[in-house]
Amino acid sequence: MDFQWTPEQQALREQVRRLCAGFPDDYWHERDVKHEFPEDFYQAVAAGGWLGIAMPEAYGGAGLGITEAALVLQEVTASGGCTAAASSVHMNIFGVNPLVAHGSAEQKAAHLPGVIQGRTKVAFGVTEPDAGLDTTHLKTRAVREGERYRVSGRKIWISTAQEAHKILLLARTTPLEEVRRPTEGLSLFFTDLNRDAIEVREIPKAGRHAVDSNELFIDNLLVPVADRIGEEGKGFRYILDGLNPERVLVAAEAIGIGRVALERAVRYAKERVVFGRPIGQNQAIQHPLAACWANLEAANLLTFKAAWLYDSGQSCGAEANAAKLLAAEAGFAAADRAMQTLGGMGYAQEFHVERYWREAKLYRMVPISPELILSFIAERVLGLPKSY
Ligand SMILES: Cc1cc2nc3c(=O)[nH]c(=O)nc-3n(C[C@H](O)[C@H](O)[C@H](O)COP(=O)(O)OP(=O)(O)OC[C@H]3O[C@@H](n4cnc5c(N)ncnc54)[C@H](O)[C@@H]3O)c2cc1C
C-alpha cells in the first residue's frame, strides 16, 4: 500500500492550484450572476495543457491517467470555481472518451487536437425528456439514407450547448422492437452541433449559472456516416465504457467543493465573535465541521482507490459508483454545514458559500442519482435481484 502522491502528482496539484488562484471567488460570482461562460478560465486551462491531461500523447495530450485528471478537476472545484468551473472544462478533459476509445484514426486526428487545445467545445447529448435514467428507451431516431443519417428527436439538460461546436449524440438506429436487448441498436455520433437543424433552448435552473444546460429540438439533422463512432448499434456500450472513470471524476469534483466550503466555514468560525468568543469555540459548531472533514477524507480515499483500479486496468464499477455516492453526499453536507456555520451570512452571495451549496447539490443528482447507484450496488455487488 502506498498512500503518497508521487512528486509529479503533487507538482501537478500545485500548478493547477496556482492557475486557479487567478480566478478567485469574485470571478465565479460574477460569471454566476451574469450567466456567462468562463471563457478566460477555459482558455487558461487549455493554454496550461490541462485539457489534454488524460488524452493520448499522439494528439497533443499528456497521456496520464484518471488519477491525474481527477486531481486536476478536484483542484478546479476546490478553488471556489465549483461545478461551474469543472463543467466548463470537464467535457474536453474526459467527455470525449468514446471518441478516444472507439473513434477511427481519421476521426481522432481530425477532432482531438481541437478538443485538447480548447478550440473545440463539445456537448454530451444523451438524456431525453421521456427516458430519463432509462437511457436505452430514448426516442431520438437516426435513419440511414445512403452515406448519411437523418436524425430527429429531443434531448434535455444538454450542458454547454449554447457554446459547443460539436455534439456527442446518442440515437436509436434500430427500433426497440427489432433488437434482442434494449442496449442494442443505439448509435453514437460525434458531429457538428448544427443550429439550422437543432434548436437549443436554455433551461433556467437553480445554480451553476455560468454553464448553460438546454433542451434540444433536433429536426432532420443530416449526419454523415463518417461521423458515427465505431459500429452501428453499439453506441450504448461505448458510452458505458466511460461511465466508471466519469464517476471517479465527478466524485473528485464533489469533494473539491466540500473542501472549499469547509475551509471557508472554519475561517469564519475562527473570526466571528458572538457571546464574547469565536463561534468556532463551541462544540456545536466544531463537531459537525469535524465530521464533514472525516466524511470528505473517507470519500476521497475511495475515489482515488477507484481511480487507481481503473488506471491499473482492474474493474472498478463498485468502487467508482460508491465513491460517487459518498463524495456527492459528503460534498453537499459540507456545503450545507458551511452555510449553517456562517449563519445569516451563509445566505449572502458576498460570502460565496450559498453558491457552493447550490452547485454541490447538483452532484447528488447527476450524472446518476443515489437511488440508481444503490440499486447497482445491491444488484452487482450484493447479488440481490434487479429492482428496476
Ligand atoms: C444541470 C444539469 C446538467 C446536465 N447535463 C447533462 C448533459 O450535458 N448531457 C446529458 O446527456 N445529460 C445531462 N444531464 C442530465 C442528467 O444526467 C439527468 O438529469 C440524470 O441522469 C437524471 O435523469 P432524470 O433527471 O431524467 O431523472 P429521472 O430518470 O426522471 O428520475 C427521477 C428520480 O427518480 C429516481 N428513480 C428513477 N428510477 C428509479 C428506480 N428504479 N428506483 C429508484 N429511484 C428511481 C431517480 O433516482 C431520480 O431521483 C444534466 C442534468 C442537470 C440537472
Side-chain angles (χ1 to χ4, degrees):
M1 299 292 280
D2 182 358
F3 288 102
Q4 296 277 1
W5 299 122
T6 64
E8 292 77 18
Q9 288 166 338
Q10 192 55 40
L12 175 156
R13 294 180 78 185
E14 276 152 25
Q15 285 166 32
V16 177
R17 207 172 287 172
R18 271 201 298 280
L19 183 154
C20 292
F23 300 89
D25 272 322
D26 288 340
Y27 172 83
W28 294 107
H29 169 64
E30 199 181 325
R31 300 284 86 63
D32 191 56
V33 170
K34 292 185 173 169
H35 291 225
E36 206 171 70
F37 188 82
E39 187 64 33
D40 30 14
F41 170 77
Y42 172 85
Q43 292 301 343
V45 175
W50 302 109
L51 293 180
I53 182 91
M55 293 281 212
E57 288 171 278
Y59 304 102
L64 296 171
I66 283 300
T67 304
E68 284 77 14
L71 282 173
V72 169
L73 286 166
Q74 189 166 71
E75 289 302 329
V76 162
T77 54
S79 71
C82 299
T83 320
S87 300
S88 72
V89 295
H90 186 117
M91 268 308 285
N92 295 64
I93 288 181
F94 189 73
V96 299
N97 176 260
L99 176 61
V100 175
H102 303 286
S104 65
E106 293 77 33
Q107 287 172 326
K108 289 194 256 196
H111 304 305
L112 290 183
V115 172
I116 291 168
Q117 291 159 21
R119 286 183 282 110
T120 310
K121 294 194 185 114
V122 185
F124 189 71
V126 171
T127 307
E128 295 198 1
D130 297 329
L133 288 159
D134 192 4
T135 307
T136 58
H137 284 75
L138 60 74
K139 302 264 187 313
T140 297
R141 280 282 280 134
V143 178
R144 184 142 180 190
E145 296 176 351
E147 278 314 291
R148 63 191 192 182
Y149 289 87
R150 186 177 291 275
V151 184
S152 292
R154 268 177 78 189
K155 296 280 171 188
I156 195 164
W157 286 118
I158 309 310
S159 297
T160 72
Q162 300 286 340
E163 301 280 327
H165 311 97
K166 295 277 182 183
I167 182 164
L168 256 176
L169 187 65
L170 190 65
R172 185 158 279 290
T173 37
T174 308
L176 199 53
E177 312 76 65
E178 294 172 26
V179 289
R180 279 176 302 145
R181 280 188 290 268
T183 50
E184 294 170 2
L186 292 162
S187 299
L188 190 63
F189 303 92
F190 185 83
T191 195
D192 289 340
L193 204 161
N194 174 0
R195 284 155 214 282
D196 293 335
I198 305 179
E199 189 195 339
V200 180
R201 214 181 280 169
E202 189 164 354
I203 303 171
K205 55 190 186 335
R208 206 200 65 180
H209 295 310
V211 177
D212 56 270
S213 292
N214 307 273
E215 274 191 272
L216 304 189
F217 299 85
I218 308 170
D219 185 15
N220 290 301
L221 174 72
L222 298 176
V223 177
V225 169
D227 286 357
R228 193 188 67 222
I229 294 182
E231 289 178 51
E232 185 176 290
K234 300 241 170 94
F236 187 72
R237 210 196 78 209
Y238 301 155
I239 294 273
L240 274 188
D241 279 356
L243 287 189
N244 288 332
E246 170 76 15
R247 306 264 193 271
V248 173
L249 297 180
V250 168
E253 292 172 14
I255 292 160
I257 301 192
R259 285 183 172 166
V260 67
L262 183 59
E263 193 264 320
R264 299 293 192 269
V266 168
R267 190 199 300 171
Y268 191 86
K270 287 179 184 164
E271 289 168 0
R272 174 71 174 162
V273 175
V274 180
F275 295 111
R277 49 149 106 187
I279 57 168
Q281 202 175 336
N282 303 301
Q283 287 188 345
I285 294 286
Q286 292 181 359
H287 286 186
L289 293 175
C292 286
W293 180 86
N295 289 329
L296 286 167
E297 286 304 300
N300 201 48
L301 274 180
L302 192 53
T303 299
F304 282 97
K305 179 182 176 189
W308 172 78
L309 285 169
Y310 182 82
D311 285 338
S312 52
Q314 303 179 63
S315 72
C316 67
E319 291 80 2
N321 276 281
K324 194 275 168 184
L325 173 78
L326 297 178
E329 296 304 316
F332 180 74
D336 194 47
R337 183 43 64 178
M339 260 179 107
Q340 201 69 24
T341 305
L342 267 71
M345 284 307 168
Y347 221 63
Q349 292 191 351
E350 176 190 350
F351 281 82
H352 303 288
V353 290
E354 61 80 34
R355 177 170 54 81
Y356 304 166
W357 182 80
R358 285 185 280 120
E359 301 203 2
K361 177 72 182 165
L362 192 54
Y363 290 118
R364 295 182 75 207
M365 297 181 278
V366 306
I368 185 155
S369 66
E371 293 82 11
L372 269 276
I373 290 183
L374 291 171
S375 292
F376 171 87
I377 294 172
E379 184 195 341
R380 301 292 176 88
V381 182
L382 305 182
L384 291 165
K386 188 176 167 91
S387 65
Y388 58 97

